[in-house]
Amino acid sequence: MHINELDTPALLVDVDQLARNIAMMQQQISELGLNLRPHCKAHKTPELALQQIAAGAKGVCVAKLGEAEVLARGGVQDILITTPIAGLKKVQRLIALQRQYPTTRLIQVVDHIEQIQLIGKEAQQQQVSIPLLIEVESGQQRCGVEVGDELLNLIRAIQACNGVSYLGVQAYSGHLQQVKTLNERNHAAREAVLPLFTYIEQVLTPLGLAPSVVSGGGTGTFAAYQGLGFTEIQAGSYVFMDASYRSIEDLQQASEPLFGCALSVLATVISTPKPHRAVVDAGMKSLSIDLGMAQVLDDDSIRYQCGGDEHGILHLSQQSQKLRIGDKILLLPSHCDTTVNNFDTFVLVSGTEVVGEVAIAARGRCD
Ligand SMILES: Cc1ncc(COP(=O)(O)O)c(C=O)c1O
């Protein structure tokens, strides 16, 4: 079937570009001598996680326990939950998941002694053990303990607790992923984590407390971390790319970017009220706007503007082709993670041919 026969709005994934992106990031990370642990918050889909693992990824990350539940059910064997959890209900779900999938490695990020003690208590009662990564502050000022005594105290707290084990640390500088120029981005990314690696070398290693795993980095910063001491990279968006990632300077600084856009939203023109304005059936319930507006694929003469929950406004210029009711338009999302969260299904395409579909099983799992 040709994509123009699809009902809309539809979320399309170009399987050829997807495969190239997956292979390219795996090659980049392997060349750095690191493990790739892709962040599945970008695609929220067990099938794609397994494709990344088949290409060489060590395991995967998820942001939420709900996503971990879906991926574990889908057969993913090694899952890092990159956000701390709180409260008995959540902790009991984590432990229940570990018991349900005993051969799956579930790793949990923490940044407070209360999380450690609660997870440890419940895990011990249920006779499982949960490996923990301690999140450290690395410039984003979100979660994370300061490098220094706060980190040391948490390592000791984990070691004193049954039911949990100290695996390592997480340092993710999310605020730097989209700094526009490559040199500035790389410089800032290294500066943000240097205190951690100095502390590991000067304090933790002599105490025998060096982390086995240091996890972090994303699509925008992975290349900065060569030789620093990270063991694994958590890049996520590279599978699809989006308009905001496309606008930063690529690490190759060459005409051909490393990663291409594999994700698009197909929309239909539903109204043409003026010669310079058409309206499509994809508003913010389809295309997220947290990182700006979507772009019309391969046509700079048309500007997309969100026209509300269900409407997208296309501003046409003199160069634009004339649009008619029923015409189809491909839009490049500004932010892949939050756009994917709007859809139940990826329509798989190769060029303009539909080749299959896959359920986005963890979409909406913000729990
Ligand atoms: C903790 C963490 N690691 C990794 C990523 C992946 O980053 P990116 O999608 O920029 O590659 C994210 C994205 O938000 C994140 O929150």
Side-chain angles (χ1 to χ4, degrees), residues 4 22 50 58 130 163 173 190 231-232 241 253 307 337 354:
N4 281 346
I22 289 174
L50 293 173
K58 165 112 182 69
I130 304 290
S173 306
R190 289 180 77 89
T231 61
E232 57 180 42
M241 297 302 283
Q253 293 177 303
D337 299 17
V354 176

Side-chain angles (χ1 to χ4, degrees), residues 39 41 82 142 170 172 177 217-220 234-237 245 337:
H39 211 307
K41 72 198 286 290
T82 60
R142 193 166 64 178
Q170 170 173 282
Y172 175 68
Q177 297 304 327
T219 302
Q234 305 181 345
S237 301
Y245 253 122
D337 299 17

Side-chain angles (χ1 to χ4, degrees), residues 60-339:
V60 300
C61 301
V62 293
K64 304 307 282 283
L65 179 56
E67 295 171 338
E69 289 168 343
V70 173
L71 292 198
R73 198 183 318 131
V76 179
Q77 291 279 317
D78 191 331
I79 305 171
L80 166 63
I81 301 159
T82 60
T83 314
I85 57 171
L88 187 57
K89 274 229 151 61
K90 275 277 187 315
V91 170
Q92 284 176 337
R93 271 173 57 201
L94 173 70
I95 305 308
L97 188 64
Q98 184 63 86
R99 279 184 64 88
Q100 192 180 355
Y101 297 98
T103 60
T104 299
R105 182 160 80 143
L106 293 175
I107 309 165
Q108 176 63 53
V109 163
V110 294
D111 71 352
H112 197 280
I113 189 165
E114 281 179 24
Q115 299 147 357
I116 295 167
Q117 288 175 340
L118 191 54
I119 295 170
K121 185 165 159 249
E122 292 297 312
Q124 195 192 3
Q125 271 173 15
Q126 297 297 322
Q127 293 161 342
V128 296
S129 179
I130 304 290
L132 302 178
L133 292 189
I134 300 169
E135 178 152 28
V136 296
E137 171 59 48
S138 48
Q140 188 167 16
Q141 311 220 323
R142 193 166 64 178
C143 301
V145 292
E146 292 296 334
V147 170
D149 285 349
E150 284 187 15
L151 172 58
L152 185 58
N153 290 342
L154 283 198
I155 296 174
R156 297 235 194 262
I158 295 172
Q159 290 191 320
C161 200
N162 292 322
V164 288
S165 61
Y166 164 57
L167 182 65
V169 296
Q170 170 173 282
Y172 175 68
S173 306
H175 62 303
L176 298 175
Q177 297 304 327
Q178 300 201 350
V179 171
K180 295 277 178 226
T181 69
L182 178 69
N183 285 342
E184 268 179 64
R185 194 162 70 245
N186 280 357
H187 179 73
R190 289 180 77 89
E191 288 286 303
V193 292
L194 273 179
L196 170 65
F197 291 108
T198 309
Y199 190 72
I200 290 174
E201 190 188 324
Q202 295 181 357
V203 179
L204 296 183
T205 304
L207 289 171
L209 297 174
S212 308
V213 168
V214 182
S215 194
T219 302
T221 57
F222 72 88
Y225 293 148
Q226 190 162 25
L228 269 185
F230 277 95
T231 61
E232 57 180 42
I233 297 294
Q234 305 181 345
S237 301
Y238 73 95
V239 275
F240 295 141
M241 297 302 283
D242 51 32
S244 47
Y245 253 122
R246 199 167 69 161
S247 72
I248 70 167
E249 203 172 83
D250 194 71
L251 63 151
Q252 268 190 334
Q253 293 177 303
S255 50
E256 219 17 62
L258 281 184
F259 306 104
C261 298
L263 187 75
S264 59
V265 168
L266 184 73
T268 302
V269 175
I270 53 166
S271 173
T272 53
K274 293 275 186 267
H276 59 275
R277 179 174 8 112
V279 180
V280 291
D281 60 353
M284 75 174 105
K285 279 185 186 166
S286 310
L287 291 149
S288 64
I289 58 170
D290 53 309
L291 292 184
M293 292 299 137
Q295 293 173 0
V296 176
L297 256 190
D298 303 328
D299 191 346
D300 292 341
S301 76
I302 309 177
R303 184 170 60 83
Y304 172 90
Q305 183 202 343
C306 175
D309 298 355
E310 293 87 10
H311 300 75
I313 300 171
L314 299 179
H315 296 283
L316 311 172
S317 68
Q318 304 231 306
Q319 291 76 47
S320 307
Q321 66 191 71
K322 193 168 162 10
L323 290 177
R324 307 157 80 110
I325 304 284
D327 280 351
K328 296 279 191 336
I329 289 279
L330 278 172
L331 295 149
L332 173 65
S334 54
H335 187 189
C336 56
D337 299 17
T338 45
T339 292

